Amino acid sequence: MKLESIYRYCPVCGVERASFEPSRPFRCHACGHTTFFGPVAAVGAIVTDESGKVLLVRRANDPAKGKLGMPGGFIDPGESSENGLRREMLEEVGLTILSMQYLTSAPNRYIYRGIELSVLDMFYVVQVEHRDIQMRDGEISDWIWTELSDDILDQMAFASNRYALEFYRGRIGANGN
Ligand SMILES: [Zn+2]
């Protein structure tokens, strides 16, 4: 169920919603309040080791618990995507970013406890200070350095992550590697 479809009452004046027409954003017919339903922003990092293998993390929590993802997460209010990625990399895997290059973006759907949130994922190729992974915030259960085989891509939690990795793989291939 999409987030916008559970807005039964205006969050400002409390009047019940008049209709569930596909209206985006939500507009209250009584007080005029408007709620925009995103997408919210998220970031993901492509980190490689000396041999070009990519760091993927195994998700410790739902949604998609046990599946693979890229280090990253949701951007906080007031934060840039770059600073959000720096923060998430430190929090999640204990890595310090030295530099980053924007790669691509993809829409994503984040479904938690039956409610679907629209997300825009932005992906960066990053260089890190060292590669000693430290799991810090409990959001991942494990990590791997891996080549981007189809079998690995089949284990990605989100289609947006898979898209970014395929985009990256194609770019690497095009560079004659
Ligand atoms: Zn209202």
Side-chain angles (χ1 to χ4, degrees):
M1 191 183 303
K2 293 195 172 192
L3 176 64
E4 41 270 49
S5 67
I6 62 170
Y7 262 59
R8 292 184 52 205
Y9 301 94
C10 173
V12 173
C13 75
V15 161
E16 187 164 8
R17 192 170 179 174
S19 72
F20 279 89
E21 301 304 313
S23 57
R24 287 190 196 184
F26 166 83
R27 288 187 205 283
C28 175
H29 64 91
C31 76
H33 166 73
T34 303
T35 295
F36 295 88
F37 292 108
V40 298
V43 284
I46 292 178
V47 194
T48 56
D49 69 6
E50 307 84 351
S51 64
K53 289 181 176 173
V54 172
L55 173 66
L56 296 179
V57 297
R58 200 168 295 284
R59 298 175 58 81
N61 305 303
D62 277 326
K65 180 180 177 180
K67 289 202 154 192
L68 293 175
M70 292 148 72
F74 289 112
I75 299 299
D76 284 341
E79 191 174 51
S80 69
S81 56
E82 290 82 5
N83 283 340
L85 190 56
R86 288 188 185 96
R87 175 182 54 73
E88 285 285 351
M89 285 285 284
L90 260 180
E91 288 177 2
E92 207 168 76
V93 289
L95 296 185
T96 300
I97 292 179
L98 293 177
S99 63
M100 63 179 86
Q101 295 84 40
Y102 176 74
L103 180 68
T104 188
S105 67
N108 192 10
R109 298 159 64 234
Y110 191 88
I111 302 171
Y112 185 70
R113 298 192 175 182
I115 307 300
E116 177 184 328
L117 193 63
S118 294
V119 181
L120 177 64
D121 285 342
M122 292 168 280
F123 300 97
Y124 292 81
V125 177
V126 310
Q127 289 74 44
V128 290
E129 195 174 73
H130 60 76
R131 295 189 184 87
D132 303 320
I133 308 293
Q134 293 177 0
M135 298 190 291
R136 291 185 175 175
D137 63 3
E139 291 192 3
I140 66 171
S141 61
D142 194 11
W143 72 89
I144 55 173
W145 295 95
T146 179
E147 291 174 8
L148 298 176
S149 64
D150 288 343
D151 178 57
I152 285 292
L153 293 177
D154 285 344
Q155 298 177 52
M156 298 305 296
F158 299 112
S160 61
N161 283 212
R162 179 180 182 133
Y163 168 80
L165 292 172
E166 287 180 334
F167 188 91
Y168 174 76
R169 187 172 68 175
R171 175 165 291 192
I172 294 298
N175 289 342
N177 190 338

